[in-house]
Amino acid sequence: MAEALFTEVTASGDAAEGAGAVAAAPAPGGRPFWRRLRARRSALVAGGVVAFLVLIALAAPLLTAVEGQDPTTYHPDLVDSATGGVPLGSFGGASADHWLGVEPLTGRDLFARVVYGARVSLGVALAATVLQVLLGVAIGLAAGLGNRFVDQALSRVTDVVVALPVMVVALGALAVVPAGFPRPVLIAVIIGLVGWAGTSKIVRAQTLALKSLDHVAAARLSGWGRWQVARRELLPALAAPVITYAVLLFPGNIVVEAALSFLGVGIKPPTPSWGQMLSDADTWYQAAPTYLLIPALLLFVTVLALTVLGEGVRTALDPRAESRLRVGTGRKQETRHDAEKEAGA
Amino acid sequence: MTGFLIRRAGGAVFVLFALSVVVYAAFYVVPGDVAQIACGPRCSPAQVAQVSAQLKLDDPLYVRYAHFLQALFTGQDFSTGTGVLHCPAPCLGLSYQSDQQVTGLILAKLPATASLVVGASLLWVVLGVGTGLLSVWRRGRPTERILTWITLAGMATPVFVIGLLLIIVLVTALQVLPFPDYVPFTDDPEQWAWNLLLPWVSLALVSAAPYARMTRASMLETLAEDHVRTFRAYGVPERTLVGRHALRGALAPVIALGALDIGSMFGGALLTESLFGIPGVGRELVDAVRTVDLPVVVGLVLVTGFFVVLAGALADVFHALADRRVVLA
Amino acid sequence: GPQESKGGSAGAAGTPHKGGTLTVLNSSPQEDFDPARLYTSGGGNIPSLVFRTLTTRNREDGAAGAKVVPDLATDLGTPSKNATVWTYTLKKGLKYEDGSPITSADIKYGIERSFAAELSGGAPYLRDWLIGGADYEGPYKDKKGLDSIETPDERTIVFHLNKPEGEFPFLATQTQTTPVPQKKDKGTKYEQHPLSSGPYKVVKNEGDGERLVLARNTHWSAATDEERKAYPDRIDVRSGLDSAVINQRLSASRGADAAAVTTDTNLGPAELAKVSGDKDLAARVGTGHFGYTNYIAFNPKVKPFDNPKVRQAISYAVDRSSVVNAAGGSSLAEAATTFLPNQKSFGYTPYDHFPAGKNGNAAKAKELLKEAGYAKGLTVTLTHSNAKDFATSPEIATALQEALKKAGITVRLQGLEDNDYSETVHSVKSEPGFFLSGWGADWPSGGPFFAPIFDGRQIVKSGYNFNSAQLDDSSVNKEIDAINKLTDLGAAAQRWGALDKKVGEQALTVPLFHPVYKRLYGESVKNIVISDWTGVLDVSQVAVK
Amino acid sequence: MSLIEVKDLSISFGAVRAVRNLSFSLEPGRALGIVGESGSGKSASAYALLGLHRGTGAEVSGSVRVAGVDVREADDAELRSLRGAKAAMVFQDPLSSLDPYYAVGDQIAQVYRVHRRVSRRAARARAVEVLDRVRIPDAARRARSRPHEFSGGMRQRALIAMALACEPQLLIADEPTTALDVTVQAQILDLLHQLRQETGMGLVLVTHDVGVAAESVDDVLVMRAGRAVERGPVGAVLAAPAESYTRALLAAVPRIDGAAAPARPGPADAGEPLVEAVDVHQVFGRRSAATKAVDGVTLGVRRGETLGIVGESGSGKTTLGRMLVGLLEPSAGRVVRRGRVQMVFQDPHSSLNPRRSIGESVADPLRAAGRLDEGAIRARVGELLAQVGLEADQYDRYPHEFSGGQRQRVGIARALAADPDLIVCDEAVSALDVTTQAQVTELLGRLQRELGLALVFIAHDLAVVRQVSDRVAVMRAGRVVEEGPVDEVYARPQDPYTRQLLAAVPALDPGQAARRRSLRAELTTV
Ligand SMILES: Nc1ncnc2c1ncn2[C@@H]1O[C@H](COP(=O)(O)OP(=O)(O)OP(=O)(O)O)[C@@H](O)[C@H]1O
Ligand SMILES: Nc1ncnc2c1ncn2[C@@H]1O[C@H](COP(=O)(O)OP(=O)(O)OP(=O)(O)O)[C@@H](O)[C@H]1O
Ligand SMILES: [Mg+2]
Ligand SMILES: [Mg+2]
């Protein structure tokens, strides 16, 4: 009987039309994540900005060659030695030769230092963030999935790491690692090693919440191994908070690199980095404002772009986000909604 | 609850123990000859040797560590030259550099750091959570935009830059605030707050952004949940939905983040402290690391580690109280 | 030659009066306040208000300030014929803050306790010069005392030295000669309340010297003290401040800050740029010259610096104007070609053996390199510290790196963290061949400036060594001994200058620059005195009314 | 004036047209049942009555007037004054419809204060009053409990209490009893009935369960694929349905008292059980907080056999099922498995990963096995989706785009994909309308016949259990109180609890429903 009913229902024309009610939208081109990401214009703009910054960093030698400068040559003649080395000329000594002017004291070309600094700052911060996220996710997952003993042990190790002063670690590391070891790599590793605790705490909490959900149980019953279950069922859900947090870690890491420079255990000169520039420039805000403003502005743009991009990626990762975002601002009237649609059509 | 407290206390002991071992181990490799630094650069080798003997630096590190542990439980006596200085039971030793009792040294520095961190954290939580809240409730409005940009800019700028700019604007140019000059709370609460305002604001500005982002993310998450739909269907105004229900849901991650920050800030507010001349533990720590003053470093790391553990445990308790579904494990 | 030291025009005007509170805004706290542990003459500015010494520095502007004058003693001391025995007589009516009299035994005890390991930190001279000093372990371990110091009566003290030292009066300016009554000695705890012999006493010492309050010592009598003016009633020292904030506060000069000075914070280049654009501020800047030289040090035991041609080539290649710029510009640094500071008291004798001109002589350098067998260029490593001090710091190192590049010398930089740097460059075992260094005077004379660097007998095999070239030249050693015998300090200075010029020929160092100190002070601060001895404003002369 | 007037209502979610040209009205004091298959647009229509689609991605057209308010034209303030005060809604999912952070009483008080200017205290008193009204025992104390301290049935009642707080003219109840066992379901339906008599409010009852509608409403509206198929007085429609769809719907309703289920083939082999539990226990929490969820259960399931498990909410059914498939280790006792096992989860919300398309979820077991290539996997998933009454091309859609019943079917498809020997179906058909339910149970039956599949069928719907099971176990408080062949147990229940359960089953005939209601009243008061 039931079977007959079923065939009848699907066979009737009415039902065929009814199927429209549940039919999916025509299969979208490309993976849904990219489709959703592309749909967010702000994310695209932000992505463009980030790509642009990365490009600048990669093309630093080329750009400085075009300008005809390099980041290390001193120009003592371009600064006023008697008044503490302020760049001569307006706008920090900006000119056709020195597009953004020159550094106070040394007269080194600011544009060249900024673009080369982008390499170090973005590179170090990126590497450190990646390390922090990898470690944090791995340890957080292990704590969340492991038994009570594993969880307790890892949580306490996390506490130790939080409480460990970065200075002590940095000094110890600098003493142990041979002097020839590339400093940016070392700094990235140090920042990564002391900064994963936040990520791991977030991941652990999320894992604990998620692992009791039935879809994780279902995946286990499907015959996946532990790691596969984690990868398929947990990691995608962890992606949102982790991305949100990683986007926050990134500028933090640039600033930490600056602070390490400030404390004398950072990037080695004459290699420029934004953080180092900021920490050198702090007293120059009045005498040579561009010296402070340029790296500060670039850093701000980077952070802003990453935040917007991160937000975009986070939302695009979540198939429910479309309706979710609107939920927050549920004030738009249905009628107006229709009117807008018509106006737009 | 009792079980939780006992486990946490055990965990804390482990953390502190591990910290002290790590610090001792680090001092094998960190450069700097303690005796030479304590004695001064022009000390003769013989004199350096005397100082080294006096500070018991010639013992192997593990022996020193054993003494350290012993002093912690039984106290220790030190010679002042003319007499004896008794350092009572939880004795963290004497500073190599200044001959002060480490316990006293830390106790003297702690109130300033606590004032800084507690005040600033209140401010940054309010600023961060407020911005996050506005970014959900008043999405796209100018106030929201401005606040979001301010917090992001704060995050992108080192505190020594922000602090200095604030001094220029608020103190030198507008003259609305005094130059920060730490006054202990016990001396004059009003002056205490007034003088700390600038450090608080600076530290809050650089720390608020994560709270704003986290608050925003979890609020959006909560707003999409079924129970919010229930209240919307009962005519509860959006303001209440956001401010009461969604905000409450966002509390847990914010508290967790706060615990992490407050804990680590106790050792890490050093840039703010040195910019504003606040006599706190952060600066003391950097100085001690610089001068390889092992007892002071160990003492400070233990104390800050204690706060990290404490903050973590408090966050767990708060979380469990706020969300009864959570069992303390 | 050096510019004149001078206080700014603003503060110089107006007659000083007694009264008021002077605020001192500093970055480093006065962690040591025990006369045994202080290093510099008078222990620096603040301790010198509390501790009187046998002799002291002359509190006058410029070169006159580099003279040594009597303090507790009636004169600069009476030397024996070969300057190995020095005898001092104390003034009459000297009292501590508690009204008890100051005796010569207290001075002997003060010196003795500075030998105790618990109270280390002072300068090495007493240990090196006094007979039996090298083995003496201080009064706590060795109750017998030091035989080479005699106190025949309450006002007389006699020092027996193991070799002639004509500069003993300079040594007597150090706080180890401050009287400490044995009964009041509390060992390491003494610094919490040291007994004052000067115009001020300590009434508050918090946070290990972070917050100090000094008030008048009523038992101090101006009649016995020609040097300290002691105008303010109180002195309030706040330390631990960021240098940028100190300069901000001094330039704003609001409230109590109008009567504020700093004893340890210079104007940085950025601040100088701002100050020089503002007439009012520029008038409140004091300029001082402390005897100090920043230089490149070579270790000829390391190749290729064993080759004098290489050292000379580098001397020629150096671009002093970019180095001076990196150190803060011509207002904060003066290019140097001599090792001795450019002040008369050191015996300054101008010379420039390897004239590099303003921007370096790359051609000459290349030529020398060719002769040395490095026609194709040379790669060397320059060791420097990562401290932000504009002296041995990265800016200077990179400036040199750039200059030497023009001469075909590739410089790799090895920046070390502060402690690591000190340990590395000051140990004979690890000393690099090519590094940045600097040397300052313990007192304004050639002796302590020149000898530790070039005296072969001062090479320290284990421990800190400052003779970085490890020069052990018997003719140099002999001349040093000869000058030390002179009690005529003027004559001695001349011979130090000549010796410097001669040693300079070996190109063991490349003098780079002498720093200049520029410091702001508050609006109502008067009577600014900056001597060449310290290069900084003397708080004992300052008035705020 | 009518309480509700809906004209030409259409709702679409993007390309999905969930409701089309729906018109109906409701007079004050009357009760309307909306029944229809799962996914037919019932919930969507109910939401439209309160303007809940506002600000979401849904597009709404047509006119909706409720209690004199034009829902589509009203401004925010006007709408707020409608919501809760004049018309209140009880949502489909009671488990997640209350804020976990606040006490139940405070939540009700909050809603009350939105509409009435009263003091906090007065609002609290009102909350206690309405909680008492929906028979929450010891209401004054329980008002201070948080939702998680309430059982499912109590939460549902709390939601109704919230709806009653402002004495609305209209109550919209969306599947108020879906997740509840029959005894609680009966209590809730009785409560609604009583309240309607006492206050004279109108009721819109959305349900897929014709039986539930028969017990509680005056008129019935049958929906299918977004359209109204038939409407009329409940007695008339149920007794003499005009439309073929309605007839089919009614015919598919499993009956507890009708003819016994078609003779089922006996277990394929009488040998060793496929899965066997021996004296299993499960204790959650420790010491004072310990809950004995399962307390010494011994049972076995053979190849080709169906074991039904019934029992009140919280009696340990799910926990037992999880132990059978090995998702939970028993605290004591042992479970022996001699084949592949799968589970269909009770909560369709959490059993599907919201971030993965449903096709991917269904494909999981296939991928894990690693035998099929990509194309074959897609084809097989399409086949499975079709078998449970979904479309093959819904592969790429996400769980939130489905109605409750549709999600449940995805879960079944996933369990089938693994090609198991035994499936534990935990309330697998509870949210399905009877036609789909019939289709699914038929599918399971066929697989059982063809492949010798064994089933453990956990359900609160006694009729369905009777239809599909060979044996039935009745659970209460972690123990099996009665077990035996299904006809035996239904015909001659031994345990008083089993009798109570059977009396709570809703009847299709409104007249019979009334008789049962009074019978229940006797049973519970005794
Ligand atoms: N947010 C959404 N996005 C896309 N489609 C949706 C959404 N919500 C519901 N639908 C679709 O709209 C149709 C009607 O859904 P609705 O929830 O009203 O069904 P229902 O009749 O209540 O079913 P059930 O009895 O299973 O609860 C379904 O086909 C569903 O897939
Ligand atoms: N993870 C858990 N932690 C603590 N208690 C639990 C847990 N899971 C279930 N319980 C408790 O165990 C008992 C049995 O729960 P179970 O889910 O098995 O009931 P059920 O018979 O499936 O009920 P329902 O019909 O409502 O689904 C309940 O009292 C429940 O509160
Ligand atoms: Mg529904
Ligand atoms: Mg269950």
Side-chain angles (χ1 to χ4, degrees), chain B residues 34 103 179 304:
Chain B
V34 182
T103 328
F179 276 103
T304 53

Side-chain angles (χ1 to χ4, degrees), chain A residues 1-3 5-6 8-9 12 14-15 17-25 32 36 148 212-215 217-224 232-233 236-237 240 317-320 323 326-327 330-335 337-338 341, chain D residues 15-17 20 51 53-57 59-60 72-76 224-225 227 248 251 286 322 325 327 342-343 345 347 350-356 364-365 367-368 386 389 391 393-394 397-398 400 406 414 435 438-439 446:
Chain A
M1 177 67 213
E3 192 152 48
L5 173 84
F6 177 52
E8 185 206 58
V9 166
S12 78
D14 197 26
E17 208 191 329
V22 285
R36 287 193 294 259
R148 266 190 42 186
S212 65
L213 293 183
D214 285 342
H215 66 80
R220 271 166 66 196
L221 282 182
S222 296
W224 293 118
R232 282 163 187 273
E233 303 296 326
L317 275 174
D318 185 353
R320 297 161 300 175
S323 37
R326 293 207 196 91
V327 166
R331 41 185 78 251
K332 196 184 274 176
Q333 303 230 349
E334 287 163 37
T335 39
H337 192 274
D338 292 340
K341 268 200 88 83
Chain D
V16 179
R17 301 185 62 190
R20 307 163 183 217
H53 292 296
R54 248 184 214 196
T56 73
E59 287 153 45
V60 181
R72 294 201 53 228
E73 294 299 329
D75 62 21
D76 281 356
R224 174 153 181 254
R227 291 183 195 281
R286 282 176 308 169
R322 290 175 100 87
V325 296
L327 284 173
Q342 272 297 323
M343 181 150 182
F345 293 89
D347 181 7
S350 79
S351 69
L352 291 173
N353 187 339
R355 290 165 197 282
R356 300 179 66 202
D364 253 356
R367 283 192 209 288
E391 310 285 323
D393 58 10
Q394 287 171 334
R397 290 176 70 192
Y398 288 88
H400 72 278
Q406 289 167 331
R414 175 175 55 193
T435 51
Q439 174 202 343
R446 198 174 67 224

